[in-house]
Amino acid sequence: MKVCVIGTGYVGLTTGVSLAFLGHEVTCVDLDQAKVDMLRGGKCPIYEPGMEDLLAEAAQNLTFTTSYAEAVPGADVVFVAVQTPSAEDGSPDLRYLRRAAESVAQSLNHDFTVVVNKSTVPIGSGNWVDAILRDSFVQREDRPEGVEFAVASNPEFLREGNAIADTLYPDRIVIGSDNPRSLEVLNRLYRPIINQTFTPPSFLPRPEDANAVPLVSTDLASAELIKYAANAFLALKISYANEIGQLAAKVGADITEVARGMGLDQRIGSRFLQPGVGWGGSCFGKDTKALIATASEYNLDMPIVKAAREVNSRQRAIAVERLQDELRILKGRKIGLLGLAFKPNTDDLRDAPALDIANSLIARGARVKLHDPVATGRFRIEQPELAAYLSETIDDVFADCDAVVLVTEWAQYLELDWSKFVGLMRTPILLDGRHVLDADRMRRLGYRYVAVSG
Ligand code: UGA
């Protein structure tokens, strides 16, 4: 099928490259010429494992352009995957979505095109985009005859750092539209994934337990709400583990054991119960805020979602309190942070816990040393005021340090020869911000091991 993807961020790029890999003819549009040039040269503008390999394997079906007029005409499906940043009041800023919809309408010329909201957009955006498309289309002087289009929602569930596997081997595909023909087109587009009939990429074999992928084919509003409901649930699952973790610390229980014991109940499930400094990234914070904002438009309170957010920000503060408990005085102390990205395998720093923790320590008079195996390039650009605190080497982070905090559980840190560094520290306090290190082993090595919950 002929596919156009507007926006080459995490969602757009992964969608475009994956669909091209499956054999569809894909054109990706981005207004940023530099990004398009990079992608044409086979280089990926974001850090995402495997993306450059998939770009190479899909190259024959993939075109990049800055022009809607080159990409939209003739497309069976147009995915809109532009950014929807948070506005001041927590509601998503839909400027880019509006502009994309207006531009798509200028180039529609096919007998039937499905325009798909792929970004996480507020509930009701399907109707809103449909209205913009129709208004812009009827105003066109060169309006062709026999052109039909409809809007669908196809929310994305990929995780950064795992984007390709989540796209090719998903838990489910959700499509929503009030137009049956759109559902049929999208069903056809995704058939190789739904039936798992494609030959896997050379670097990413099909997991042994991959089965046919369930398809949830529903109305527009339900598809839109599924996305928010799923992200908010994952966010509150983590916050729940963290809230129980605080009680565990008080009563002398081990939260890791508690989470394991809970998660083995199949009704609960063990994933997203990992305690620590909490969630960050561009999605959970923004989506929970947006869900609360949408509900308030209907005079509805969302106490559970609000609590998940409060618990999450409290975890960052608790990390600093733990350091204060150990060191008593933070002023003048040297504290190293291992991991800046909001989670491993990405260089994304949006709403990263490390930023809050570093700023809070600096505000309390501590001196920080910051390290990340991948995100420092982006950090220098996005956080120029903190860039002076970056350490090039792990030795430098530990040298003369009063405490080190593991903030992001990069594999590189888990595999460190921890015995090498304890002797470099002034006081060997190690705060495990993710509950991933072996406490007994760390204590044997001479560290004063503490965790966020206990
Ligand atoms: C999240 C969802 O998992 C995806 O399904 C969704 O598509 C995406 O948002 C989105 O809406 O675009 P992502 O933000 O990439 O994906 O990252 P996650 O792997 O979900 O992690 C989010 C945060 O939660 C990270 O900071 C991670 O460290 C933290 N986390 C995760 C925990 O603190 N504990 C856990 O048990 C799991």
Side-chain angles (χ1 to χ4, degrees):
M1 294 170 78
K2 200 163 178 258
V3 177
C4 160
V5 181
I6 316 284
T8 59
Y10 285 98
V11 170
L13 188 61
T14 312
T15 304
V17 180
S18 301
L19 290 172
F21 173 78
L22 295 177
H24 298 300
E25 195 189 316
V26 180
T27 307
C28 295
V29 184
D30 202 295
L31 299 181
D32 183 341
Q33 181 73 53
K35 235 172 159 186
V36 167
D37 289 343
M38 253 183 113
L39 287 161
R40 281 180 179 157
K43 293 266 167 267
C44 182
I46 48 176
Y47 177 87
E48 181 60 41
M51 189 62 82
E52 285 187 1
D53 298 315
L54 199 67
L55 266 171
E57 292 194 27
Q60 73 209 41
N61 296 331
L62 200 50
T63 312
F64 294 97
T65 177
T66 53
S67 157
Y68 281 77
E70 266 176 40
V72 176
D76 300 296
V77 184
V78 175
F79 284 101
V80 183
V82 294
Q83 71 268 48
T84 53
S86 280
E88 287 289 305
D89 63 352
S91 63
D93 175 352
L94 298 179
R95 239 177 313 169
Y96 303 99
L97 185 61
R98 169 185 280 280
R99 245 177 260 161
E102 286 167 352
S103 305
V104 168
Q106 296 311 311
S107 294
L108 285 170
N109 77 343
H110 197 39
D111 60 341
F112 185 68
T113 305
V114 188
V115 179
V116 184
N117 274 339
K118 189 82 179 154
S119 317
T120 305
V121 292
I123 297 150
S125 296
N127 293 35
W128 186 72
V129 166
D130 189 74
I132 295 171
L133 285 171
R134 284 184 202 284
D135 286 352
S136 309
F137 187 72
V138 292
Q139 282 164 21
R140 259 172 77 181
E141 280 174 10
D142 63 341
R143 189 173 70 241
E145 291 295 319
V147 170
E148 280 187 48
F149 51 88
V151 171
S153 163
N154 170 219
E156 180 52 64
F157 301 105
L158 66 81
R159 288 161 296 167
E160 288 179 21
N162 230 38
I164 299 168
D166 284 348
T167 303
L168 295 178
Y169 312 117
D171 288 346
R172 78 305 207 182
I173 290 175
V174 174
I175 53 181
S177 179
D178 299 333
N179 173 304
R181 197 168 164 196
S182 318
L183 295 173
E184 190 269 321
V185 169
L186 291 176
N187 192 333
R188 199 147 39 92
L189 181 82
Y190 282 121
R191 207 160 292 158
I193 296 184
I194 294 169
N195 296 334
Q196 288 290 306
T197 47
F198 62 91
T199 306
S202 55
F203 61 93
L204 197 64
R206 177 171 287 120
E208 277 176 16
D209 56 356
N211 291 315
V213 174
L215 175 72
V216 179
S217 184
T218 184
D219 58 275
L220 255 180
S222 301
E224 290 171 345
L225 183 52
I226 286 169
K227 169 69 192 191
Y228 282 101
N231 265 6
F233 188 81
L234 292 170
L236 73 90
K237 201 174 173 195
I238 299 167
S239 283
Y240 184 73
N242 282 329
E243 184 168 288
I244 296 292
Q246 291 314 310
L247 182 61
K250 297 279 183 219
V251 302
D254 178 344
I255 182 58
T256 310
E257 290 298 305
V258 175
R260 187 160 161 264
M262 275 170 60
L264 285 169
D265 184 328
Q266 289 186 16
R267 292 169 301 173
I268 297 173
S270 55
R271 293 165 76 189
F272 280 66
L273 282 179
Q274 189 191 332
V277 291
W279 38 267
S282 67
C283 304
F284 289 173
K286 184 158 79 84
D287 293 354
T288 47
K289 213 185 206 183
L291 198 55
I292 293 166
T294 300
S296 75
E297 288 173 17
Y298 296 83
N299 283 328
L300 191 67
D301 194 19
M302 291 247 137
I304 295 181
V305 183
K306 281 183 182 163
R309 291 174 57 81
E310 279 162 28
V311 168
N312 194 59
S313 53
R314 192 174 75 177
Q315 289 305 109
R316 298 175 185 194
I318 287 173
V320 175
E321 280 166 29
R322 287 274 181 273
L323 291 169
Q324 207 162 27
D325 291 345
E326 294 298 319
L327 290 164
R328 304 291 168 191
I329 288 176
L330 289 175
K331 279 194 183 37
R333 303 289 193 182
K334 187 174 151 194
I335 298 172
L337 302 191
L338 292 176
L340 300 171
F342 81 97
K343 65 170 189 177
N345 293 327
T346 179
D347 64 351
D348 197 335
L349 295 157
R350 285 175 288 179
D351 194 22
L355 301 179
D356 270 357
I357 295 171
N359 283 322
S360 168
L361 289 170
I362 292 167
R364 285 167 164 76
R367 294 172 300 153
V368 294
K369 285 276 186 181
L370 309 174
H371 185 271
D372 192 281
V374 169
T376 48
R378 204 156 159 181
F379 189 86
R380 282 199 175 86
I381 297 165
E382 292 178 12
Q383 302 290 330
E385 66 292 356
L386 287 177
Y389 301 106
L390 283 171
S391 281
E392 291 299 324
T393 64
I394 295 186
D395 280 64
D396 186 47
V397 175
F398 280 86
D400 295 323
C401 233
D402 294 291
V404 164
V405 188
L406 177 67
V407 186
T408 311
E409 70 280 32
W410 283 97
Q412 285 91 328
Y413 298 145
L414 304 186
E415 289 155 12
L416 278 183
D417 180 0
W418 286 87
S419 64
K420 242 180 74 183
F421 302 103
V422 65
L424 301 179
M425 299 179 75
R426 190 150 48 202
T427 42
I429 296 167
L430 175 61
L431 173 61
D432 183 352
R434 297 286 179 180
H435 290 252
V436 284
L437 299 170
D438 179 339
D440 291 338
R441 181 167 165 258
M442 292 299 151
R443 288 188 183 117
R444 273 200 308 276
L445 292 176
Y447 289 99
R448 235 159 84 193
Y449 175 94
V450 274
V452 181
S453 301

PDB file of all heavy atoms in Angstrom, residues 106-129:
ATOM      1  N   GLN A 106      -4.494  20.042   1.534  1.00  0.00           N
ATOM      2  CA  GLN A 106      -4.109  20.717   0.287  1.00  0.00           C
ATOM      3  C   GLN A 106      -3.654  19.730  -0.784  1.00  0.00           C
ATOM      4  O   GLN A 106      -3.626  20.059  -1.963  1.00  0.00           O
ATOM      5  CB  GLN A 106      -2.966  21.726   0.529  1.00  0.00           C
ATOM      6  CG  GLN A 106      -3.313  22.881   1.442  1.00  0.00           C
ATOM      7  CD  GLN A 106      -4.622  23.550   1.052  1.00  0.00           C
ATOM      8  OE1 GLN A 106      -4.829  23.883  -0.116  1.00  0.00           O
ATOM      9  NE2 GLN A 106      -5.530  23.701   2.011  1.00  0.00           N
ATOM     10  N   SER A 107      -3.262  18.530  -0.376  1.00  0.00           N
ATOM     11  CA  SER A 107      -2.684  17.582  -1.342  1.00  0.00           C
ATOM     12  C   SER A 107      -3.499  16.316  -1.543  1.00  0.00           C
ATOM     13  O   SER A 107      -3.099  15.451  -2.328  1.00  0.00           O
ATOM     14  CB  SER A 107      -1.275  17.182  -0.898  1.00  0.00           C
ATOM     15  OG  SER A 107      -0.403  18.277  -0.938  1.00  0.00           O
ATOM     16  N   LEU A 108      -4.624  16.179  -0.845  1.00  0.00           N
ATOM     17  CA  LEU A 108      -5.414  14.944  -1.011  1.00  0.00           C
ATOM     18  C   LEU A 108      -5.937  14.858  -2.449  1.00  0.00           C
ATOM     19  O   LEU A 108      -6.507  15.829  -2.952  1.00  0.00           O
ATOM     20  CB  LEU A 108      -6.594  14.942  -0.032  1.00  0.00           C
ATOM     21  CG  LEU A 108      -6.276  14.645   1.439  1.00  0.00           C
ATOM     22  CD1 LEU A 108      -7.494  14.928   2.309  1.00  0.00           C
ATOM     23  CD2 LEU A 108      -5.823  13.199   1.613  1.00  0.00           C
ATOM     24  N   ASN A 109      -5.736  13.710  -3.092  1.00  0.00           N
ATOM     25  CA  ASN A 109      -6.251  13.581  -4.461  1.00  0.00           C
ATOM     26  C   ASN A 109      -6.654  12.145  -4.802  1.00  0.00           C
ATOM     27  O   ASN A 109      -6.966  11.834  -5.936  1.00  0.00           O
ATOM     28  CB  ASN A 109      -5.201  14.057  -5.478  1.00  0.00           C
ATOM     29  CG  ASN A 109      -4.108  13.026  -5.670  1.00  0.00           C
ATOM     30  OD1 ASN A 109      -3.958  12.113  -4.845  1.00  0.00           O
ATOM     31  ND2 ASN A 109      -3.343  13.149  -6.738  1.00  0.00           N
ATOM     32  N   HIS A 110      -6.641  11.258  -3.796  1.00  0.00           N
ATOM     33  CA  HIS A 110      -6.860   9.838  -4.032  1.00  0.00           C
ATOM     34  C   HIS A 110      -8.343   9.547  -3.878  1.00  0.00           C
ATOM     35  O   HIS A 110      -9.039  10.281  -3.184  1.00  0.00           O
ATOM     36  CB  HIS A 110      -6.057   9.083  -2.962  1.00  0.00           C
ATOM     37  CG  HIS A 110      -5.818   7.645  -3.264  1.00  0.00           C
ATOM     38  ND1 HIS A 110      -5.531   7.161  -4.511  1.00  0.00           N
ATOM     39  CD2 HIS A 110      -5.798   6.568  -2.440  1.00  0.00           C
ATOM     40  CE1 HIS A 110      -5.357   5.860  -4.444  1.00  0.00           C
ATOM     41  NE2 HIS A 110      -5.517   5.474  -3.196  1.00  0.00           N
ATOM     42  N   ASP A 111      -8.815   8.423  -4.456  1.00  0.00           N
ATOM     43  CA  ASP A 111     -10.255   8.137  -4.309  1.00  0.00           C
ATOM     44  C   ASP A 111     -10.638   7.907  -2.852  1.00  0.00           C
ATOM     45  O   ASP A 111     -11.711   8.309  -2.416  1.00  0.00           O
ATOM     46  CB  ASP A 111     -10.700   6.976  -5.217  1.00  0.00           C
ATOM     47  CG  ASP A 111      -9.951   5.689  -4.902  1.00  0.00           C
ATOM     48  OD1 ASP A 111      -8.875   5.774  -4.279  1.00  0.00           O
ATOM     49  OD2 ASP A 111     -10.437   4.607  -5.269  1.00  0.00           O
ATOM     50  N   PHE A 112      -9.707   7.302  -2.078  1.00  0.00           N
ATOM     51  CA  PHE A 112     -10.003   7.168  -0.644  1.00  0.00           C
ATOM     52  C   PHE A 112      -8.701   7.164   0.161  1.00  0.00           C
ATOM     53  O   PHE A 112      -7.814   6.331  -0.074  1.00  0.00           O
ATOM     54  CB  PHE A 112     -10.795   5.886  -0.358  1.00  0.00           C
ATOM     55  CG  PHE A 112     -11.224   5.786   1.088  1.00  0.00           C
ATOM     56  CD1 PHE A 112     -12.171   6.667   1.608  1.00  0.00           C
ATOM     57  CD2 PHE A 112     -10.666   4.847   1.945  1.00  0.00           C
ATOM     58  CE1 PHE A 112     -12.563   6.603   2.943  1.00  0.00           C
ATOM     59  CE2 PHE A 112     -11.054   4.773   3.289  1.00  0.00           C
ATOM     60  CZ  PHE A 112     -12.007   5.655   3.776  1.00  0.00           C
ATOM     61  N   THR A 113      -8.577   8.078   1.084  1.00  0.00           N
ATOM     62  CA  THR A 113      -7.388   8.154   1.941  1.00  0.00           C
ATOM     63  C   THR A 113      -7.836   8.126   3.403  1.00  0.00           C
ATOM     64  O   THR A 113      -8.764   8.839   3.780  1.00  0.00           O
ATOM     65  CB  THR A 113      -6.614   9.477   1.691  1.00  0.00           C
ATOM     66  OG1 THR A 113      -6.326   9.573   0.299  1.00  0.00           O
ATOM     67  CG2 THR A 113      -5.319   9.528   2.493  1.00  0.00           C
ATOM     68  N   VAL A 114      -7.154   7.314   4.191  1.00  0.00           N
ATOM     69  CA  VAL A 114      -7.405   7.334   5.635  1.00  0.00           C
ATOM     70  C   VAL A 114      -6.343   8.232   6.266  1.00  0.00           C
ATOM     71  O   VAL A 114      -5.147   8.013   6.069  1.00  0.00           O
ATOM     72  CB  VAL A 114      -7.285   5.931   6.263  1.00  0.00           C
ATOM     73  CG1 VAL A 114      -7.756   5.965   7.719  1.00  0.00           C
ATOM     74  CG2 VAL A 114      -8.072   4.911   5.491  1.00  0.00           C
ATOM     75  N   VAL A 115      -6.780   9.232   6.991  1.00  0.00           N
ATOM     76  CA  VAL A 115      -5.851  10.107   7.702  1.00  0.00           C
ATOM     77  C   VAL A 115      -5.861   9.653   9.166  1.00  0.00           C
ATOM     78  O   VAL A 115      -6.910   9.647   9.812  1.00  0.00           O
ATOM     79  CB  VAL A 115      -6.257  11.586   7.569  1.00  0.00           C
ATOM     80  CG1 VAL A 115      -5.285  12.474   8.335  1.00  0.00           C
ATOM     81  CG2 VAL A 115      -6.307  11.983   6.095  1.00  0.00           C
ATOM     82  N   VAL A 116      -4.693   9.233   9.626  1.00  0.00           N
ATOM     83  CA  VAL A 116      -4.624   8.567  10.929  1.00  0.00           C
ATOM     84  C   VAL A 116      -3.916   9.430  11.964  1.00  0.00           C
ATOM     85  O   VAL A 116      -2.781   9.857  11.744  1.00  0.00           O
ATOM     86  CB  VAL A 116      -3.840   7.228  10.809  1.00  0.00           C
ATOM     87  CG1 VAL A 116      -3.847   6.482  12.127  1.00  0.00           C
ATOM     88  CG2 VAL A 116      -4.409   6.374   9.710  1.00  0.00           C
ATOM     89  N   ASN A 117      -4.562   9.660  13.076  1.00  0.00           N
ATOM     90  CA  ASN A 117      -3.886  10.294  14.215  1.00  0.00           C
ATOM     91  C   ASN A 117      -3.052   9.237  14.909  1.00  0.00           C
ATOM     92  O   ASN A 117      -3.584   8.295  15.492  1.00  0.00           O
ATOM     93  CB  ASN A 117      -4.908  10.835  15.219  1.00  0.00           C
ATOM     94  CG  ASN A 117      -5.375  12.228  14.863  1.00  0.00           C
ATOM     95  OD1 ASN A 117      -4.703  12.947  14.139  1.00  0.00           O
ATOM     96  ND2 ASN A 117      -6.531  12.609  15.383  1.00  0.00           N
ATOM     97  N   LYS A 118      -1.738   9.421  14.813  1.00  0.00           N
ATOM     98  CA  LYS A 118      -0.833   8.432  15.409  1.00  0.00           C
ATOM     99  C   LYS A 118      -0.186   9.014  16.663  1.00  0.00           C
ATOM    100  O   LYS A 118       0.179   8.273  17.576  1.00  0.00           O
ATOM    101  CB  LYS A 118       0.245   8.064  14.365  1.00  0.00           C
ATOM    102  CG  LYS A 118       1.120   6.928  14.743  1.00  0.00           C
ATOM    103  CD  LYS A 118       0.465   5.601  14.443  1.00  0.00           C
ATOM    104  CE  LYS A 118       1.355   4.438  14.796  1.00  0.00           C
ATOM    105  NZ  LYS A 118       0.582   3.220  15.095  1.00  0.00           N
ATOM    106  N   SER A 119      -0.051  10.345  16.700  1.00  0.00           N
ATOM    107  CA  SER A 119       0.463  10.969  17.932  1.00  0.00           C
ATOM    108  C   SER A 119      -0.579  10.771  19.016  1.00  0.00           C
ATOM    109  O   SER A 119      -1.744  10.526  18.729  1.00  0.00           O
ATOM    110  CB  SER A 119       0.638  12.478  17.771  1.00  0.00           C
ATOM    111  OG  SER A 119       1.205  12.815  16.559  1.00  0.00           O
ATOM    112  N   THR A 120      -0.145  10.926  20.274  1.00  0.00           N
ATOM    113  CA  THR A 120      -1.126  10.872  21.367  1.00  0.00           C
ATOM    114  C   THR A 120      -1.847  12.202  21.397  1.00  0.00           C
ATOM    115  O   THR A 120      -1.265  13.228  21.731  1.00  0.00           O
ATOM    116  CB  THR A 120      -0.410  10.609  22.695  1.00  0.00           C
ATOM    117  OG1 THR A 120       0.361   9.417  22.526  1.00  0.00           O
ATOM    118  CG2 THR A 120      -1.401  10.409  23.819  1.00  0.00           C
ATOM    119  N   VAL A 121      -3.106  12.179  21.009  1.00  0.00           N
ATOM    120  CA  VAL A 121      -3.874  13.427  20.890  1.00  0.00           C
ATOM    121  C   VAL A 121      -5.072  13.365  21.829  1.00  0.00           C
ATOM    122  O   VAL A 121      -5.535  12.280  22.177  1.00  0.00           O
ATOM    123  CB  VAL A 121      -4.339  13.643  19.431  1.00  0.00           C
ATOM    124  CG1 VAL A 121      -3.157  13.925  18.534  1.00  0.00           C
ATOM    125  CG2 VAL A 121      -5.132  12.457  18.917  1.00  0.00           C
ATOM    126  N   PRO A 122      -5.566  14.520  22.249  1.00  0.00           N
ATOM    127  CA  PRO A 122      -6.677  14.499  23.207  1.00  0.00           C
ATOM    128  C   PRO A 122      -7.906  13.811  22.631  1.00  0.00           C
ATOM    129  O   PRO A 122      -8.101  13.775  21.411  1.00  0.00           O
ATOM    130  CB  PRO A 122      -6.979  15.970  23.439  1.00  0.00           C
ATOM    131  CG  PRO A 122      -5.860  16.723  22.850  1.00  0.00           C
ATOM    132  CD  PRO A 122      -5.168  15.860  21.870  1.00  0.00           C
ATOM    133  N   ILE A 123      -8.695  13.307  23.547  1.00  0.00           N
ATOM    134  CA  ILE A 123      -9.924  12.641  23.123  1.00  0.00           C
ATOM    135  C   ILE A 123     -10.800  13.672  22.400  1.00  0.00           C
ATOM    136  O   ILE A 123     -10.959  14.793  22.872  1.00  0.00           O
ATOM    137  CB  ILE A 123     -10.626  12.053  24.359  1.00  0.00           C
ATOM    138  CG1 ILE A 123      -9.699  10.989  24.954  1.00  0.00           C
ATOM    139  CG2 ILE A 123     -11.990  11.473  24.004  1.00  0.00           C
ATOM    140  CD1 ILE A 123      -9.836  10.822  26.417  1.00  0.00           C
ATOM    141  N   GLY A 124     -11.284  13.285  21.248  1.00  0.00           N
ATOM    142  CA  GLY A 124     -12.069  14.225  20.437  1.00  0.00           C
ATOM    143  C   GLY A 124     -11.262  14.773  19.267  1.00  0.00           C
ATOM    144  O   GLY A 124     -11.809  15.418  18.374  1.00  0.00           O
ATOM    145  N   SER A 125      -9.947  14.496  19.245  1.00  0.00           N
ATOM    146  CA  SER A 125      -9.117  15.054  18.169  1.00  0.00           C
ATOM    147  C   SER A 125      -9.454  14.465  16.821  1.00  0.00           C
ATOM    148  O   SER A 125      -9.234  15.106  15.788  1.00  0.00           O
ATOM    149  CB  SER A 125      -7.633  14.809  18.445  1.00  0.00           C
ATOM    150  OG  SER A 125      -7.257  15.490  19.584  1.00  0.00           O
ATOM    151  N   GLY A 126      -9.964  13.240  16.806  1.00  0.00           N
ATOM    152  CA  GLY A 126     -10.362  12.640  15.533  1.00  0.00           C
ATOM    153  C   GLY A 126     -11.406  13.515  14.859  1.00  0.00           C
ATOM    154  O   GLY A 126     -11.257  13.887  13.681  1.00  0.00           O
ATOM    155  N   ASN A 127     -12.422  13.898  15.610  1.00  0.00           N
ATOM    156  CA  ASN A 127     -13.475  14.760  15.056  1.00  0.00           C
ATOM    157  C   ASN A 127     -12.906  16.115  14.634  1.00  0.00           C
ATOM    158  O   ASN A 127     -13.260  16.664  13.600  1.00  0.00           O
ATOM    159  CB  ASN A 127     -14.545  15.048  16.119  1.00  0.00           C
ATOM    160  CG  ASN A 127     -15.300  13.806  16.489  1.00  0.00           C
ATOM    161  OD1 ASN A 127     -14.724  12.716  16.509  1.00  0.00           O
ATOM    162  ND2 ASN A 127     -16.571  13.932  16.775  1.00  0.00           N
ATOM    163  N   TRP A 128     -12.006  16.611  15.480  1.00  0.00           N
ATOM    164  CA  TRP A 128     -11.422  17.933  15.240  1.00  0.00           C
ATOM    165  C   TRP A 128     -10.594  17.926  13.938  1.00  0.00           C
ATOM    166  O   TRP A 128     -10.732  18.811  13.098  1.00  0.00           O
ATOM    167  CB  TRP A 128     -10.556  18.273  16.458  1.00  0.00           C
ATOM    168  CG  TRP A 128      -9.971  19.619  16.509  1.00  0.00           C
ATOM    169  CD1 TRP A 128     -10.620  20.794  16.734  1.00  0.00           C
ATOM    170  CD2 TRP A 128      -8.594  19.951  16.346  1.00  0.00           C
ATOM    171  NE1 TRP A 128      -9.723  21.838  16.736  1.00  0.00           N
ATOM    172  CE2 TRP A 128      -8.480  21.349  16.504  1.00  0.00           C
ATOM    173  CE3 TRP A 128      -7.427  19.222  16.089  1.00  0.00           C
ATOM    174  CZ2 TRP A 128      -7.251  22.017  16.406  1.00  0.00           C
ATOM    175  CZ3 TRP A 128      -6.213  19.874  16.001  1.00  0.00           C
ATOM    176  CH2 TRP A 128      -6.137  21.258  16.155  1.00  0.00           C
ATOM    177  N   VAL A 129      -9.765  16.899  13.765  1.00  0.00           N
ATOM    178  CA  VAL A 129      -8.942  16.799  12.551  1.00  0.00           C
ATOM    179  C   VAL A 129      -9.844  16.616  11.327  1.00  0.00           C
ATOM    180  O   VAL A 129      -9.618  17.216  10.275  1.00  0.00           O
ATOM    181  CB  VAL A 129      -7.908  15.652  12.677  1.00  0.00           C
ATOM    182  CG1 VAL A 129      -7.275  15.308  11.347  1.00  0.00           C
ATOM    183  CG2 VAL A 129      -6.833  16.029  13.706  1.00  0.00           C
TER     184      VAL A 129
END
